[in-house]
């Protein structure tokens, strides 16, 4: 939890949910090979004579791991047993100068203190501040200050180096930990560094999206910690440009390089989630929370692998391809774990005496009260399977109110509140169903906030010869060329599209039904589609959050041609 002039984020402990399950999957990946070996983890700081992974990434991997373990510790009810040991081992690598590790981060044959770029790009700086924020160890703050002071001493050289507008933007992402250092110390010299890095962000064409959005979040944090919204002007300019120019895909995916590139990366999607969470925190804009929800449930969850990691996947005009499906255990899994945890932290916030439930996530959320009485918020929700949520608040301030952001996809929403002194109970109900969202040159099929796609079919998008040898009933016959239109036949009483849930395919890679850890009620449906040659097929559409990228072996289009109507015309809400 952190208190600011805007609001206060909760200390969350998630209940049983897909979000908690996926954070646990990411943590499990951090225990598996090669991360089960502490000597391997520490290689980028300890640097044994034999060069292996980690050379000239000083503090990069250890920093990402420390930040991940610190930030997620206890959020899903699991405490991290390796966290203290990892910090102690990192601390032993601190030099008298304040630098960590034996070499410069840039790999040149110089003492690290002699390389003015040593501190830039280090994840360790951010990790130390975050470890201090979550676990209160004063040595972590001391270590972060030492690294920061090295960069401050060479500030003029850094400014000169960054002046040509470096293409990667990695060097400017230190804005985020400097903003956190300001919050921890109140020293304005750290804000001056945030301002310097912010000045170096001049455009995003050709920029690595992870580096740039991390830097923009540093400016957002400066706004949050100072209460001065002027810091948020540049992040908001680029955030809105990403939305308005549809640089973001329909499911919230961001490509690896701005404005668009041939593949994505889990880190960028997590950055986009967090950029929108911060925007909502600063401005109260419900639409920003909608963007964060869209990216988390669709793009980020789809990016995760069955082993818990995240990585890269090819992007196509209509969705996702298969030429590049790459796990990035060394960066994406930790950063995406932080992004998912930030989603939990921002789900419930406090603005003065009011409680705001921004995101429907099951769990318990706590706010220490100045009067000594802790405000506790419990959320139990069926969302996004059903629009049913119960919110209970204990020790509510006398003049406080409970505000609930009801997602725009919920129709006929109703809120019923009961209050008895400091206890408040809010019941949220409504209707969810299938609907079509207009997107650029086509439409996207959704169930509530979830993007649906047929991801187990061979898409002959380029009219290539149909391969032979498909196993009948397991790999369906190759589809006709091109992207089809969705065929609709009417709506129900709530205006949602009507599709059949049954029958399910005989061969199906994704869990459904009771006990399915990634299943969402009856979201998966059989959808008639019509191809350019006039042929009609019925395909199984499932939410992207059913699927992990490592199970989607075929192209996964998410944008389809506008509907062909059969029977009563429907509304494309």
């Amino acid at each position: 939890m952190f208190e600011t002039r805007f609001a206060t984020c909760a200390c969350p402990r998630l209940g049983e949910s897909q979000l908690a399950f996926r954070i646990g999957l990411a943590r499990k990946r951090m225990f598996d090979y090669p991360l089960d070996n502490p000597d391997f983890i520490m290689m980028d700081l300890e640097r044994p004579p034999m060069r292996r992974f980690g050379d000239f990434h000083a503090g990069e991997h250890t920093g990402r791991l420390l930040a991940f373990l610190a930030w997620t510790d206890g959020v899903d009810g699991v405490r991290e047993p390796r966290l203290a040991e990892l910090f102690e081992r990192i601390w032993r690598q601190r030099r008298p100068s304040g630098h960590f590790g034996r070499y410069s981060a840039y790999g040149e044959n110089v003492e690290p203190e002699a390389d003015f770029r040593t501190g830039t790009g280090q994840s360790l700086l951010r990790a130390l501040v975050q470890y201090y924020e979550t676990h209160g160890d004063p040595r972590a703050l001391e270590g972060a200050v030492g690294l920061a002071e090295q960069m401050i001493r060479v500030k003029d050289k850094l400014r000169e180096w960054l002046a040509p507008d470096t293409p990667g933007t990695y060097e400017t992402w230190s804005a985020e930990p400097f903003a956190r250092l300001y919050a921890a110390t109140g020293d304005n010299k750290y804000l001056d560094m945030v301002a310097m890095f912010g000045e170096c962000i001049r455009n995003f064409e050709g920029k690595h999206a992870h580096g740039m959005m991390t830097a923009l979040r540093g400016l957002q944090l400066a706004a949050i910690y100072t209460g001065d919204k002027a810091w948020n002007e540049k992040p908001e300019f680029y955030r809105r440009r990403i939305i308005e120019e549809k640089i973001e895909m329909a499911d919230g995916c961001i490509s690896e390089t701005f404005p668009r590139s041939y593949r994505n990366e889990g880190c960028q999607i997590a950055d986009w989630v967090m950029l929108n969470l911060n925007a909502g925190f600063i401005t109260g804009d419900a639409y920003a929370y909608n963007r964060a929800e869209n990216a988390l449930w669709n793009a980020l969850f789809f990016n995760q692998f069955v082993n818990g990691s995240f990585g890269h996947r090819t992007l196509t005009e209509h969705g996702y391809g298969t030429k590049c499906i790459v796990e990035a255990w060394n960066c994406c899994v930790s950063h995406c774990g932080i992004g998912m945890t930030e989603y939990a932290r921002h789900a419930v916030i406090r603005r003065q005496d009011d409680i705001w439930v921004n995101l429907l996530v099951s769990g318990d959320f706590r706010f220490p009260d100045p009067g000594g009485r802790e405000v506790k918020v419990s959320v139990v929700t069926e969302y996004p399977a059903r629009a049913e949520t119960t919110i209970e608040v204990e020790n509510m301030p006398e003049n406080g109110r409970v505000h609930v952001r009801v997602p725009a996809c919920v129709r006929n929403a109703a809120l019923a509140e009961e209050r008895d002194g400091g206890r408040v109970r809010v019941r949220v109900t409504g209707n969810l169903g299938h609907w079509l969202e207009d997107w650029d040159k086509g439409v996207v099929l959704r169930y509530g906030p979830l993007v649906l796609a047929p991801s187990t079919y061979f898409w002959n998008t380029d009219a290539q010869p149909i391969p032979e040898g498909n196993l009948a009933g397991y790999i369906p016959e190759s589809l006709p060329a091109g992207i089809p239109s969705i065929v609709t036949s009417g709506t129900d009483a709530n205006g949602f599209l009507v599709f059949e849930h049954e029958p399910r395919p005989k061969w199906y890679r994704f869990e459904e039904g009771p006990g399915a850890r990634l299943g969402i009620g009856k979201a998966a449906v059989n959808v008639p589609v019509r191809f350019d040659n006039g042929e009609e097929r019925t395909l199984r559409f499932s939410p992207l959050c059913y699927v992990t990228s490592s199970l989607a072996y075929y192209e996964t289009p998410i944008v389809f041609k506008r509907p062909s109507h059969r029977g009563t015309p429907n509304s494309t809400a």
Side-chain angles (χ1 to χ4, degrees), residues 239 276-282 284-294 343 346-347 349 351 358-359 405:
R239 189 183 73 88
N276 281 285
L277 291 174
N278 287 343
F281 187 86
I282 295 169
D285 181 7
Y287 187 68
Y289 290 115
N290 183 67
R291 303 322 305 157
E293 178 182 77
N294 180 56
Y343 193 87
H346 283 258
I349 66 174
R351 298 185 188 273
N358 302 310
L359 303 159
R405 183 191 71 89

Side-chain angles (χ1 to χ4, degrees), residues 34-44 46 62 65 82 85-86 89:
L35 301 174
D36 57 343
N37 182 352
D39 293 334
F40 181 86
I41 293 170
M42 288 299 303
M43 195 177 304
D44 66 344
E46 294 175 346
T62 48
L65 181 59
R82 295 187 301 173
E85 177 187 350
L86 175 64
R89 196 158 171 177

Side-chain angles (χ1 to χ4, degrees), residues 249-251 316-320 435-446 450-461 479-488 497 499 525 527-532 537-544 554-564 572:
M249 289 170 50
D251 65 333
T316 68
E317 181 182 358
H318 296 278
Y320 295 94
W435 58 286
L436 292 178
E437 177 188 29
D438 283 322
W439 189 266
D440 200 13
K441 301 176 182 178
V443 294
V444 176
L445 178 61
R446 291 183 181 266
L450 308 178
V451 172
L452 275 62
S455 55
T456 56
Y457 299 89
F458 182 86
W459 289 88
N460 193 13
T461 54
L479 300 172
I483 295 294
S485 61
I486 292 175
V487 178
T488 60
L497 296 172
F499 296 113
V525 286
V527 179
V529 297
R530 180 176 296 134
F531 290 89
D532 290 343
R537 297 281 187 93
T538 297
L539 308 180
R540 186 70 170 183
F541 277 62
S542 304
L544 290 178
Y554 302 97
E555 288 193 19
T556 305
I558 60 174
V559 179
F560 294 84
K561 293 180 181 177
R562 290 189 167 80
S564 303
T572 58

Side-chain angles (χ1 to χ4, degrees), residues 373-557:
R373 302 183 67 196
E374 186 175 65
V375 178
K376 300 178 182 179
V377 182
S378 172
V379 180
V380 178
T381 184
E382 298 295 324
Y383 184 81
R386 291 180 294 277
E388 298 177 10
T389 301
T390 299
I391 301 159
E392 295 185 344
V393 184
E394 296 181 24
N395 298 328
M396 186 75 180
E398 182 179 354
N399 297 318
R401 297 177 55 202
V402 177
H403 307 263
V404 182
R405 183 191 71 89
V406 178
C409 59
V410 176
R411 298 184 183 174
N412 307 318
L415 281 74
E417 179 177 314
E418 301 174 5
R419 186 157 189 160
D420 182 11
R423 302 182 67 89
V424 181
R425 187 174 190 269
V426 179
R427 174 76 172 163
V428 184
T429 57
N431 301 110
L432 289 171
H434 294 89
W435 58 286
L436 292 178
E437 177 188 29
D438 283 322
W439 189 266
D440 200 13
K441 301 176 182 178
V443 294
V444 176
L445 178 61
R446 291 183 181 266
Y447 178 85
L450 308 178
V451 172
L452 275 62
S455 55
T456 56
Y457 299 89
F458 182 86
W459 289 88
N460 193 13
T461 54
D462 298 323
Q464 298 296 317
I466 298 174
E468 298 179 357
N470 286 338
L471 179 61
Y474 179 63
I475 301 176
E477 182 181 346
S478 181
L479 300 172
I483 295 294
S485 61
I486 292 175
V487 178
T488 60
S489 58
T491 58
D492 63 16
N494 296 308
F496 293 117
L497 296 172
V498 177
F499 296 113
E500 295 296 327
H501 179 68
E502 301 291 348
R504 301 179 191 176
K506 293 181 180 178
W507 292 90
Y508 198 50
R509 296 191 179 96
F510 318 124
E511 289 184 301
E512 280 194 29
R517 286 159 292 184
L518 304 182
I520 304 292
K522 294 189 175 182
V525 286
N526 300 319
V527 179
V529 297
R530 180 176 296 134
F531 290 89
D532 290 343
N533 64 1
E535 183 177 348
E536 289 194 11
R537 297 281 187 93
T538 297
L539 308 180
R540 186 70 170 183
F541 277 62
S542 304
L544 290 178
C545 64
Y546 273 28
V547 190
T548 56
S549 271
S550 47
L551 284 181
Y553 299 123
Y554 302 97
E555 288 193 19
T556 305

